[in-house]
Amino acid sequence: MKFKEIENFKDYCERIRNKKRKNIRIKICITGCRAKGALDLYNEFKKREDKEIEVIPTGCHKFCSGAPVVKVKIFSKDYIYQNVGINDIDEIIKNAKKDKPVERILVKDKKFFELQEIKVLKNCGEVNPVDIEDYIYYGGFSSFLNVIENFTPDKVIEEIAKSKLRGRGGAGFPTYKKWEIVKNQVSDEKFVICNGDEGDPGAFMDRTLLEGVPFQIIEGMLICAYTIGANKGFFYIRAEYPIAVLHMSQAIKECYKYGLLGKDILGTGFDFDVEIKKGAGAFVCGEETALIASIEGKRGMPRPRPPFPAEKGLFGKPTCINNVETFANIPIIINEGGENFSKIGTEKSGGTKIFSLAGKVKNTGLVEIPLGTPLWKIIYEIGGGPIEGRKIKGVQTGGPSGGCIPVEYFNTPTDYETLAELGSIMGSGGMIVIDDKVCAVELARYFLDFVQKESCGKCVPCRIGTKRMLEILERITKGNGEIEDIEKLEKLGSYIKETSLCGLGQTAPNPVLTTLKYFKDEYLEHIKDKKCPAGVCVELFEYVIVEGKCTGCTLCKKNCPAGAIEGEVKKAHKIVKEKCIKCGVCFNVCKFNAVERK
Amino acid sequence: MKNKSNLEILQEIQEKKNYIPLDYLDKICKKYKIQKSKIFGVLTFYSQFTTYPRGKYLIRICEGTACHVKGSGKIREMLEKEFGLENGKTTSDMKFTLQVVACLGSCFIAPCMMVNNDYYGNLDVEKAKKIINSLK
């Protein structure tokens, strides 16, 4: 049903919002949790629908370490269950009908949710991602209607300026400024691009938003297009996100069906078409000029700026590129008003930020918190601290462009400026917690290896400079490092930062420079003592059996492929250094933790 | 394939044929008057494209930061040693193709991998071995 007038559509929205829903609504994440069998779980639950129970497929519930996660809404109370199996279905339904939770599978760590400030992700895990009616039921498209009826483009920009929203892709450029520049360009054609090429290893918030609330992003884009005067938009989504592409294309189709996209939207005379462009596996395409080249169908190589895409972008026309999360914030700003929105956050940047928390931490998942929240709160309180028996050493933010921040600086408020001062960046919001079993030098090597592979090869500092840095780091992790290497790394790093063409190269040395700054001891141990304190760099440690712990069970001896373990039953065993190939089998099979890396 | 960009043409061919046969690409270039050097430039730039036939199962093992610190390297090693897989290569029985990818965006269940369009998470060497064996 295509709506040709605003009034008709508004009536329709009103009707949907007043519709009585069933008392018990069971919401199953079928996106991230799919990896843990959520699709089968959903199908089983779906069979149990009756006049009281509605089963809804949704996006992410944020608590990903408990996958599959199921939310049961009884009237307006929410119960969130973790690690739900098909065997739990009967009990969940039986108890729901008695208005009772199933205590044993409730998410125990209440802090994980209580300490968050959930705004952008509010609808994620609530609505069916591809059902437009469900989105409307939860207030969807009210911002767009408000804008198209009551706002001039200048007024939209004013609200966004008041909100202090800054680009969520990483660089933190004020959104209103970008929009204003594009709006003021005189051109027969303008474009809007949503950058969903979330290539940073360790980041998954854009994936979650694209999969969980595609309509919210379309709504943000519609408001942008209306404001800057664009009639054509593109979603650039990486090929590694098949569910995101699927949900977004279904959502776009629905919008066309309802007359919210296409020619003469809701009879207002405003035309806006969107199209999905799939990436093809190139990290550099997250850089805006490279992304534009990729949409044009060319090699995804960046070009020098200026001219900025806002002046000369896609096909040489003014183009507004924003990150997925930035667009997802727009409907909220319009609903709340820019000033209210900016009450949360810091003086320079308003609102919340979604971080993806992963690595060596108890609770992994999505964390939405006001900008400026200190790191320890995210990692220790919301994240639940280290994995049993380990010690957190630091956190890696911003992926390959970011850096490692040590525990000593966990009081730092997470903000664009403060993280930059520490030598890292906010980036798109990936946070990988590292503990004492992660080697800082090896981690730096890992990132350099990544950058090396992903460098497009256009400019020399990035192509060759990172290669030389990688070689030095490889040398150090193999025990062949020299003390001069540290200075070489520092020098090379600063040259590459200053002279590279695009963001990829300019930030590539960050992981090395920050680890050098904060974990220099580890570098020195690798170089001088030829030891890897974390027991990661194979050439720099030995497997040793601790006499007191070994029970003489012979398991390691039986499994050793090199015959390097000696010892009799019920007596402590020994590893013969000369024969050991450091495969780690003994370490993995020992039930008494008697094998150690030293 | 008219009005499509070189990137889209390649994506379409790969979707249809599972890889990009060079002789077929030749034909397309002639038919639509596309410069071969241009399309080859695009083909070699993006890691998704392959000019060799892919196996029945495309195994994408994630090498992202979270997976890396949680030991994805060991799983890759196992795939290489036990099943003879190699990044970008296909086994001779045309069953498996291995692709090492930068990040699958599933860091919350690291280490993880994808087989065709299915995700598998919280892996260890044994679990991964079981999954691949079940497909054999």
Side-chain angles (χ1 to χ4, degrees):
Chain A
M1 77 193 97
K2 200 163 186 160
F3 290 95
K4 293 190 175 125
E5 274 168 59
I6 292 189
E7 286 310 317
N8 289 349
F9 183 66
K10 269 165 82 181
D11 287 346
Y12 171 76
C13 291
E14 204 51 39
R15 273 207 309 280
I16 286 181
R17 283 174 200 144
N18 288 331
K19 215 162 90 180
K20 224 178 131 14
R21 303 283 291 253
K22 289 178 189 168
N23 295 338
I24 301 168
R25 276 171 279 163
I26 300 175
K27 306 188 173 194
I28 301 145
C29 163
I30 55 144
T31 57
C33 290
R34 201 178 282 204
K36 298 296 221 90
L39 222 45
D40 291 337
L41 192 67
Y42 165 72
N43 289 329
E44 281 305 314
F45 263 114
K46 191 77 187 164
K47 289 182 196 156
R48 313 291 283 275
E49 266 190 333
D50 60 21
K51 59 179 191 305
E52 268 182 288
I53 295 173
E54 194 179 339
V55 177
I56 304 156
T58 68
C60 178
H61 294 302
K62 301 156 208 83
F63 192 72
C64 304
S65 43
V69 181
V70 172
K71 178 149 90 181
V72 178
K73 224 180 176 62
I74 308 175
F75 296 101
S76 58
K77 259 181 295 172
D78 282 346
Y79 297 107
I80 301 174
Y81 298 123
Q82 61 176 357
N83 301 322
V84 180
I86 288 175
N87 297 336
D88 300 319
I89 295 178
D90 284 336
E91 201 179 343
I92 291 176
I93 289 180
K94 203 177 87 197
N95 283 19
K97 289 193 171 175
K98 285 191 244 157
D99 198 2
K100 262 189 357 199
V102 181
E103 296 284 347
R104 98 194 132 77
I105 45 173
L106 273 177
V107 171
K108 298 275 175 325
D109 205 336
K110 295 246 162 38
K111 269 189 184 166
F112 182 83
F113 293 104
E114 280 166 8
L115 294 175
Q116 297 199 36
E117 177 82 42
I118 292 165
K119 292 176 98 172
V120 179
L121 285 170
K122 201 170 159 227
N123 283 333
C124 191
E126 204 69 59
V127 305
N128 179 343
V130 294
D131 182 353
I132 198 165
E133 278 193 16
D134 214 24
Y135 181 60
I136 292 170
Y137 178 81
Y138 284 97
F141 292 111
S142 56
S143 292
F144 173 62
L145 285 175
N146 190 3
V147 164
I148 209 155
E149 276 196 311
N150 310 317
F151 281 53
T152 59
D154 285 319
K155 172 105 170 68
V156 178
I157 289 176
E158 200 188 309
E159 282 305 315
I160 310 258
K162 274 191 216 155
S163 76
K164 295 181 187 162
L165 177 71
R166 290 167 67 181
R168 296 292 192 243
F173 190 75
T175 306
Y176 84 94
K177 253 192 204 161
K178 198 183 265 182
W179 289 24
E180 202 170 33
I181 297 168
V182 186
K183 190 199 138 245
N184 290 337
Q185 301 291 315
V186 182
S187 171
D188 56 335
E189 221 177 355
K190 291 177 189 176
F191 297 107
V192 184
I193 298 174
C194 173
N195 184 348
D197 191 53
E198 185 177 53
D200 299 19
F204 51 88
M205 48 266 140
D206 291 351
R207 174 188 165 186
T208 309
L209 288 168
L210 288 164
E211 290 177 350
V213 282
F215 290 111
Q216 190 175 330
I217 304 159
I218 296 175
E219 190 176 356
M221 237 172 136
L222 271 165
I223 294 169
C224 175
Y226 167 80
T227 307
I228 63 169
N231 300 117
K232 175 95 200 172
F234 293 94
F235 280 97
Y236 189 88
I237 304 176
R238 29 190 326 236
E240 285 89 347
Y241 289 177
I243 307 174
V245 173
L246 180 75
H247 284 186
M248 189 48 85
S249 49
Q250 284 175 332
I252 291 173
K253 221 187 253 167
E254 288 272 286
C255 286
Y256 271 106
K257 215 167 80 192
Y258 279 69
L260 288 160
L261 283 173
K263 294 265 164 295
D264 191 19
I265 293 170
L266 302 178
T268 56
F270 166 52
D271 305 332
F272 188 56
D273 282 297
V274 293
E275 212 180 297
I276 296 179
K277 296 275 179 184
K278 275 195 281 183
F283 171 68
V284 71
C285 286
E287 199 278 341
E288 52 183 18
T289 58
L291 188 146
I292 287 173
S294 186
I295 291 185
E296 289 170 354
K298 300 177 192 150
R299 286 164 73 91
M301 310 261 260
R303 59 156 177 82
R305 300 174 303 179
F308 285 91
E311 295 153 341
K312 261 188 169 181
L314 188 61
F315 305 116
K317 308 281 182 184
T319 305
C320 181
I321 301 192
N322 279 126
N323 168 265
V324 173
E325 197 185 330
T326 313
F327 281 127
N329 268 286
I330 303 294
I332 296 159
I333 295 174
I334 301 296
N335 263 343
E336 286 187 358
E339 225 168 297
N340 267 332
F341 182 90
S342 73
K343 280 184 186 149
I344 287 178
T346 64
E347 204 186 306
K348 283 188 178 163
S349 24
T352 57
K353 171 85 193 90
I354 305 170
F355 290 97
S356 56
L357 193 61
K360 304 290 198 94
V361 63
K362 250 188 218 147
N363 305 333
T364 57
L366 288 177
V367 177
E368 184 176 353
I369 38 138
L371 279 159
T373 307
L375 281 166
W376 62 264
K377 193 167 172 185
I378 304 173
I379 293 159
Y380 285 98
E381 300 240 294
I382 298 172
I387 298 171
E388 290 285 299
R390 295 280 166 79
K391 225 178 103 200
I392 288 178
K393 183 153 90 176
V395 63
Q396 210 284 336
T397 69
S401 311
C404 281
I405 299 167
V407 185
E408 297 90 88
Y409 290 88
F410 274 14
N411 265 329
T412 313
T414 38
D415 186 12
Y416 295 93
E417 283 80 20
T418 45
L419 291 184
E421 269 166 38
L422 291 174
S424 186
I425 61 162
M426 173 100 96
S428 51
M431 273 192 188
I432 307 287
V433 180
I434 55 173
D435 63 14
D436 51 352
K437 292 283 172 204
V438 176
C439 168
V441 186
E442 205 280 330
L443 191 65
R445 185 210 59 80
Y446 160 79
F447 279 119
L448 256 282
D449 181 54
F450 175 83
V451 173
Q452 219 341 262
K453 281 183 198 150
E454 295 294 340
S455 168
C456 80
K458 187 169 176 173
C459 72
V460 180
C462 175
R463 184 180 68 234
I464 300 173
T466 57
K467 176 92 183 155
R468 293 289 98 84
M469 282 181 90
L470 175 64
E471 283 165 1
I472 297 174
L473 286 164
E474 275 174 348
R475 213 156 63 210
I476 300 176
T477 53
K478 289 205 167 106
N480 302 321
E482 290 156 11
I483 198 76
E484 296 80 42
D485 283 342
I486 289 185
E487 207 192 319
K488 278 185 201 158
L489 282 174
E490 281 167 345
K491 259 195 193 160
L492 256 173
S494 71
Y495 293 156
I496 295 169
K497 269 183 104 152
E498 279 163 33
T499 52
S500 289
L501 177 65
C502 82
L504 191 145
Q506 285 158 11
T507 55
N510 284 349
V512 183
L513 297 177
T514 51
T515 45
L516 265 175
K517 192 166 156 194
Y518 302 118
F519 301 100
K520 200 165 201 165
D521 292 354
E522 281 189 45
Y523 278 86
L524 291 175
E525 270 182 84
H526 278 73
I527 295 169
K528 281 188 184 163
D529 311 335
K530 311 288 176 208
K531 285 270 173 220
C532 175
V536 175
C537 303
V538 180
E539 270 94 348
L540 303 183
F541 66 80
E542 277 164 1
Y543 285 101
V544 182
I545 296 176
V546 183
E547 222 170 290
K549 285 186 184 172
C550 179
T551 60
C553 73
T554 73
L555 196 59
C556 58
K557 191 176 165 184
K558 275 185 203 143
N559 282 289
C560 177
I565 300 177
E566 291 173 351
E568 286 165 37
V569 188
K570 289 187 180 164
K571 280 184 186 156
H573 283 44
K574 226 181 101 183
I575 295 173
V576 183
K577 256 194 230 170
E578 293 72 30
K579 287 189 187 167
C580 177
I581 54 166
K582 294 186 187 171
C583 65
V585 166
C586 53
F587 182 82
N588 291 331
V589 296
C590 182
K591 289 174 182 156
F592 310 98
N593 293 326
V595 184
E596 283 182 6
R597 292 173 176 154
K598 274 194 175 153
Chain B
M1 294 199 186
K2 244 186 176 167
N3 296 327
K4 290 224 156 122
S5 73
N6 287 347
L7 178 59
E8 284 170 304
I9 289 172
L10 290 168
Q11 279 170 332
E12 217 178 286
I13 298 175
Q14 179 137 311
E15 218 154 272
K16 229 194 286 174
K17 311 235 163 196
N18 210 14
Y19 76 109
I20 299 181
L22 290 177
D23 49 347
Y24 182 75
L25 189 66
D26 251 5
K27 274 188 216 152
I28 295 282
C29 285
K30 278 198 190 113
K31 192 169 167 195
Y32 295 99
K33 299 203 170 63
I34 301 163
Q35 272 181 33
K36 232 167 119 182
S37 62
K38 283 256 163 71
I39 207 157
F40 219 76
V42 178
L43 172 80
T44 50
F45 184 83
Y46 296 96
S47 63
Q48 290 262 309
F49 298 125
T50 165
T51 53
Y52 295 98
R54 286 198 297 203
K56 187 174 169 199
Y57 299 105
L58 173 64
I59 303 170
R60 286 188 267 196
I61 175 100
C62 180
E63 229 187 12
T65 324
C67 290
H68 177 75
V69 301
K70 286 198 162 175
S72 67
K74 285 250 182 293
I75 297 170
R76 180 182 170 179
E77 228 169 74
M78 181 277 293
L79 291 175
E80 288 169 346
K81 268 190 197 151
E82 301 245 334
F83 297 95
L85 303 178
E86 208 181 316
N87 188 16
K89 299 269 168 71
T90 303
T91 49
S92 54
D93 60 357
M94 296 305 292
K95 260 230 155 130
F96 299 106
T97 302
L98 180 69
Q99 196 181 19
V100 180
V101 296
C103 184
L104 291 173
S106 300
C107 319
F108 42 89
I109 44 162
C112 64
M113 68 175 184
M114 270 176 99
V115 178
N116 294 338
N117 275 341
D118 294 327
Y119 292 88
Y120 295 92
N122 294 119
L123 295 175
D124 52 39
V125 171
E126 286 310 310
K127 270 191 211 165
K129 211 186 277 181
K130 240 189 221 160
I131 293 165
I132 307 296
N133 273 327
S134 73
L135 301 171
K136 262 195 152 177

